[in-house]
Amino acid sequence: MSNHMNFPGFSKAAGIYLNAFKPYLSKRERADMSLPIKIENREYRHLFSRMPNDPLYTKLMVLYNDGEIVTDADEVRRSISSVFGLTLYQEPESQLKLDIKQGDVALRKTEIDALTKLKEGSLTQFSASDQEAVSDHLEYFKSLEEVGKPLSIVAKKILDHKKLIESSDKVTEEQLLFGIDLAEERTQHRNELERLLFF
């Protein structure tokens, strides 16, 4: 899909979609629109407005794919819940790649191998507190490795899903909800990793 804005699945609003939104836009506002989102047997477009050089969207309108404004509150709520699955991908890919790297066994191999060798060797020359420190450090690096594996797996799934969305002409509600589930799973694993790193 061409003309991506801040995240995949959005482009500059045009045609019947922009015409439907124009009465609600100020002179300086610009509008972005989503690609078609299929929910059951209908396709929807989400239009967002914002001021130039302002990253925050200020207005939202939900349209059917034929340009008609959606007025049913339940339809609007349901479609808004799913379109959140597109906005998840504004994060730089470098962050996802960093998460993927957390599953690389080589990332902490040097520390784990060295501490394992030290622990399995003779620690009699160390005090009891030093021996405990070696064991604690080894356990710490093993914990980082263990937590990094599922984070790496889910980050790879998210990156693959992002590329799928980027290459699609339309998306389904199921695809978007799947992306939201992946993001929630990633957040859980990232929290576990950060808890180990910073506390």
Side-chain angles (χ1 to χ4, degrees):
M1 176 152 184
S2 61
N3 295 324
H4 286 170
M5 308 312 293
N6 280 353
F7 30 81
F10 280 83
S11 60
K12 186 176 179 180
I16 57 175
Y17 313 109
L18 180 58
N19 288 337
F21 207 9
K22 270 183 179 178
Y24 307 94
L25 298 175
S26 70
K27 290 183 179 179
R28 297 182 61 232
E29 279 183 308
R30 52 167 282 182
D32 298 337
M33 66 180 180
S34 72
L35 50 72
I37 299 171
K38 186 176 181 182
I39 301 176
E40 294 185 358
N41 296 320
R42 299 298 299 263
E43 291 183 2
Y44 301 83
R45 296 264 190 170
H46 289 73
L47 281 83
F48 295 90
S49 68
R50 66 182 178 188
M51 300 299 288
N53 303 318
D54 189 341
L56 299 177
Y57 288 113
T58 55
K59 297 172 186 166
L60 162 68
M61 177 179 284
V62 180
L63 305 176
Y64 294 113
N65 201 34
D66 62 6
E68 179 186 350
I69 297 174
V70 179
T71 58
D72 183 84
D74 289 336
E75 281 187 272
V76 170
R77 278 193 290 268
R78 180 172 178 178
S79 62
I80 289 174
S81 295
S82 63
V83 79
F84 178 63
L86 288 178
T87 66
L88 295 170
Y89 298 112
Q90 60 186 318
E91 185 177 10
E93 281 191 9
S94 59
Q95 292 298 313
L96 289 169
K97 291 177 180 177
L98 183 62
D99 286 351
I100 291 171
K101 187 178 179 182
Q102 299 304 314
D104 186 352
V105 294
L107 183 61
R108 299 178 178 90
K109 186 177 188 305
T110 299
E111 292 85 352
I112 290 174
D113 286 352
L115 289 165
T116 299
K117 184 176 181 181
L118 191 59
K119 184 178 179 180
E120 291 176 350
S122 174
L123 290 178
T124 55
Q125 71 270 32
F126 296 109
S127 67
S129 60
D130 288 338
Q131 293 179 35
E132 183 178 358
V134 169
S135 296
D136 288 347
H137 278 75
L138 177 58
E139 198 59 38
Y140 170 71
F141 282 108
K142 285 184 175 180
S143 295
L144 289 176
E145 184 179 59
E146 192 62 29
V147 171
K149 290 176 184 176
L151 175 60
S152 175
I153 291 170
V154 72
K156 178 66 166 59
K157 288 180 180 178
I158 290 174
L159 189 58
D160 290 343
H161 195 61
K162 178 183 180 182
K163 294 184 185 304
L164 173 66
I165 297 296
E166 286 177 325
S167 64
S168 299
D169 293 324
K170 68 177 64 174
V171 291
T172 65
E173 180 183 37
E174 290 77 16
Q175 287 175 311
L176 296 179
L177 294 179
F178 176 67
I180 291 171
D181 288 343
L182 288 177
E184 290 176 349
E185 183 181 348
R186 178 190 175 214
T187 297
Q188 176 187 340
H189 294 312
R190 278 183 65 88
N191 287 344
E192 291 175 4
L193 181 67
E194 290 172 0
R195 178 180 57 80
L196 288 171
L197 288 172
F198 301 118
F199 294 99

